[in-house]
Amino acid sequence: MHIWARRSREQQFIHTRREDEQGEWYALDNAAIIMPAVANEITTSLFRFEAELDAPIDVGVMGKALELTVRRMPYFNVRLRRGFFWYYFEPCHTLPHLYPDSPSPSQLWDINKRGTRMFRIRCEGNRVAGEFSHALTDGTGGMTFLKTLLANYFLLKGIAPGAELGEGEFRDILTSQSFIESPSIPSDEFEDAYQRYFPKGLPFPDAGPNAFHMKFKRLPKGQYRVISGELNLTEALGEARRHGVSLTELMTAVYLDALQQIWHETVPRPKEDYIAVEVPLNLRTMFPSKTFRNFSLFVLIVEDMRLGMRSFEELVMRTHYQMKLEYDRMSIAKHLSRNAGSARNLIVRAVPLFIKDIFARIFFAKFGESMLSGFISNLGQVKMPPGFTPYIQRFGFIPAPSLTTLTNASMLSWGDKLIVDFGSLTESRELERLFFRRLRSLGLQVRVSCRLDQAEAKAQSKEEPNAILS
């Protein structure tokens, strides 16, 4: 009986779906619980995946594809609600709409506004995009949703995938007809994997020093500029191999190199002596999990600017060894222990939500963005079934906006292309300029484009988008 009760308590933390006299609801996972306290209509917590097709999107068919997708992944079709002690997700009993796109993605969408879903799907011309709150999911979950949406769209258009969906290489495309006709959604798809792998009794990781933040002038409210760089993937991988590092490590070193130049050119001298780049890690590669909620942590690559300018070669090697030191099971376990343990603490659980929000903001400031100067996230290679591939020209991955770091980067690979997308809330393009200039100095060809120019900036609406495509 005692063992059963203990297991039952463990399952309470792991499984997020609940049902009581008020109906069905979902608990937020461990990484999500801080997001409502720090999100607003500017720092929306929305990251974005997008796909450009070979032809204009049939909005009617895409709407039907969205319906099929949320019926298969109902744990995405939720809105945020406040309880007395915790936030929770309430299922939406209506279908999500399609929204028009904007030159400024991931803006003017407040997840705390009553009735707002935790994601939105946008269409414009031949581009479809999913913008997902980090309160709902991480990159793995967001890409799974978009790939499933695209697969449903192509199937409805009569295009055969040329491969088995939901199995093997394409197991993250969830279009199985059996699930649509007789829904039986595996609970491990929306479990809190942090709690499943919660290690007890470990010391917490040390807090890092406050990091340098760029002090450039901000863009007007509602504007979020995207600058994209497209490289040949084979050439980029070859350059990483030449340095004896991974592609992620190479790009992180390029990012650090740009930041150190900005630090040394800043007048007066910054009071923060360190620059730090956050590199998110997909924990599913280390701890087996099928969850499409959040299951990622990060490592910080830190450099002390008091020591002077480092050569690019030094930065590459130091990034490589810092990654090796931080990305191991024991080091990650310390972060899991700190982050997941609070949800199990009886004292914390008994504190009213409005007080939790205050401490969440303090925690986020101390262990969150105050410790980093920027971040770069690498989703890796995106793969679609061979029957769908000819109809997709490009994927993109745009990071969530931050008023602290101002400019951040994300990247992914599609076919023979490596796409690096910067999202920025500042008028300055200095970080992006230095980043792509370094890549070119390495002999890599980069094609750069900017999503938001001044004419578009003046023309776009400053209201939260509510026009529905039908």
Side-chain angles (χ1 to χ4, degrees):
M1 181 68 175
H2 173 69
I3 294 175
W4 179 88
R6 187 171 62 205
R7 287 178 177 171
S8 180
R9 286 195 297 271
E10 290 293 314
Q11 295 302 310
Q12 172 191 349
F13 293 114
I14 295 170
H15 294 299
T16 61
R17 185 182 178 278
R18 311 277 195 272
E19 195 163 355
D20 55 26
E21 64 277 2
Q22 301 298 319
E24 178 190 11
W25 55 280
Y26 295 91
L28 276 65
D29 65 62
N30 181 253
I33 56 178
I34 201 170
M35 284 297 145
V38 299
N40 55 47
E41 65 175 353
I42 304 302
T43 54
T44 55
S45 78
L46 297 180
F47 63 93
R48 169 176 166 126
F49 288 121
E50 59 186 30
E52 294 180 5
L53 308 187
D54 70 331
I57 290 165
D58 185 326
V59 175
V61 175
M62 186 61 74
K64 294 176 183 177
L66 180 57
E67 177 180 353
L68 292 175
T69 304
V70 295
R71 292 195 186 284
R72 174 57 185 86
M73 303 176 74
Y75 41 86
F76 269 59
N77 192 25
V78 295
R79 52 181 169 245
L80 188 70
R81 296 297 302 271
R82 290 182 67 96
F84 186 77
F85 293 106
W86 299 98
Y87 292 100
Y88 64 96
F89 289 141
E90 179 182 71
C92 296
H93 299 297
T94 59
L95 296 172
H97 302 299
L98 293 174
Y99 291 87
D101 207 359
S102 164
S104 288
S106 302
Q107 285 292 282
L108 304 177
W109 191 260
D110 190 349
I111 63 171
N112 289 287
K113 184 178 178 180
R114 189 177 179 89
T116 301
R117 283 178 170 83
M118 295 296 100
F119 75 100
R120 65 180 168 189
I121 302 298
R122 312 180 80 166
C123 293
E124 195 80 26
N126 68 332
R127 179 192 296 142
V128 58
E131 297 177 352
F132 305 92
S133 171
H134 266 301
L136 177 67
T137 188
D138 60 12
T140 297
M143 181 52 76
T144 294
F145 191 96
L146 181 63
K147 289 173 68 172
T148 300
L149 175 66
L150 288 169
N152 281 322
Y153 177 78
F154 290 133
L155 290 171
L156 289 170
K157 297 282 281 185
I159 300 170
E164 188 71 26
L165 303 182
E167 302 289 340
E169 187 177 17
F170 305 111
R171 60 185 177 276
D172 60 345
I173 300 179
L174 310 178
T175 60
S176 172
Q177 190 66 33
S178 61
F179 282 112
I180 298 170
E181 294 176 347
S182 179
S184 177
I185 310 301
S187 63
D188 54 4
E189 290 184 6
F190 48 89
E191 73 174 16
D192 187 342
Y194 298 98
Q195 295 294 341
R196 177 175 292 282
Y197 292 104
F198 168 65
K200 298 178 181 177
L202 295 185
F204 292 170
D206 296 330
N210 287 341
F212 164 68
H213 296 135
M214 298 182 298
K215 301 298 191 294
F216 297 130
K217 183 179 178 181
R218 282 173 49 192
L219 289 166
K221 180 182 177 181
Q223 293 184 20
Y224 189 49
R225 186 187 63 247
V226 178
I227 293 181
S228 299
E230 190 174 290
L231 298 86
N232 181 280
L233 177 61
T234 301
E235 291 180 1
L237 288 171
E239 184 64 21
R241 283 193 294 270
R242 189 177 73 81
H243 289 275
V245 300
S246 70
L247 183 59
T248 300
E249 290 165 347
L250 178 69
M251 294 298 172
T252 302
V254 174
Y255 203 124
L256 282 166
D257 187 43
L259 282 172
Q260 77 166 350
Q261 293 183 64
I262 293 172
W263 190 97
H264 283 287
E265 292 170 1
T266 299
V267 178
R269 172 177 162 160
K271 64 179 181 179
E272 301 90 356
D273 295 321
Y274 297 88
I275 59 171
V277 173
E278 177 185 280
V279 183
L281 304 171
N282 181 4
L283 293 183
R284 297 168 185 84
T285 63
M286 185 176 289
F287 303 93
S289 176
K290 296 179 181 178
T291 189
F292 297 125
R293 294 294 196 196
N294 291 288
F295 196 40
S296 56
L297 284 174
F298 63 86
V299 297
L300 280 177
I301 310 302
V302 183
E303 290 295 339
D304 188 341
M305 293 294 94
R306 294 171 298 184
L307 304 178
M309 289 279 289
R310 289 193 181 275
S311 71
F312 180 67
E313 296 295 332
E314 285 181 297
L315 289 175
V316 172
M317 284 297 99
R318 287 177 58 80
T319 297
H320 173 70
Y321 288 117
Q322 286 188 62
M323 287 284 287
K324 291 292 184 184
L325 286 171
E326 292 297 321
Y327 191 34
D328 70 275
R329 197 179 182 96
M330 291 183 181
S331 297
I332 293 298
K334 291 197 297 184
H335 290 275
L336 285 174
S337 180
R338 179 190 67 193
N339 295 357
S342 61
R344 296 173 177 241
N345 188 297
L346 290 176
I347 296 176
V348 173
R349 293 174 66 81
V351 173
L353 181 57
F354 75 94
I355 297 177
K356 283 191 179 82
D357 278 350
I358 296 172
F359 282 96
R361 295 184 188 105
I362 295 172
F363 180 89
F364 189 69
K366 184 171 179 59
F367 297 104
E369 291 189 327
S370 68
M371 295 167 51
L372 56 129
S373 308
F375 71 79
I376 184 165
S377 178
N378 184 10
L379 183 77
Q381 185 80 36
V382 178
K383 295 182 179 180
M384 289 291 284
F388 299 156
T389 298
Y391 301 94
I392 305 171
Q393 294 181 337
R394 186 182 186 277
F395 279 96
F397 178 17
I398 298 166
S402 166
L403 284 171
T404 303
T405 57
L406 294 179
T407 304
N408 296 295
S410 297
M411 59 183 182
L412 54 73
S413 305
W414 170 246
D416 63 350
K417 299 297 183 185
L418 172 66
I419 297 101
V420 183
D421 288 314
F422 280 88
S424 183
L425 291 172
T426 176
E427 291 182 357
S428 172
R429 307 182 184 204
E430 185 65 3
L431 178 63
E432 298 97 318
R433 184 183 70 82
L434 291 170
F435 184 95
F436 290 122
R437 187 174 72 178
R438 170 58 69 184
L439 291 178
R440 285 171 173 149
S441 77
L442 297 174
L444 299 175
Q445 299 297 312
V446 188
R447 186 168 67 87
V448 179
S449 60
C450 180
R451 181 89 39 102
L452 179 67
D453 63 26
Q454 292 302 311
E456 291 172 318
K458 292 178 181 178
Q460 71 173 336
S461 171
K462 296 185 183 303
E463 297 297 324
E464 192 165 304
N466 55 15
I468 301 169
L469 299 176
S470 59

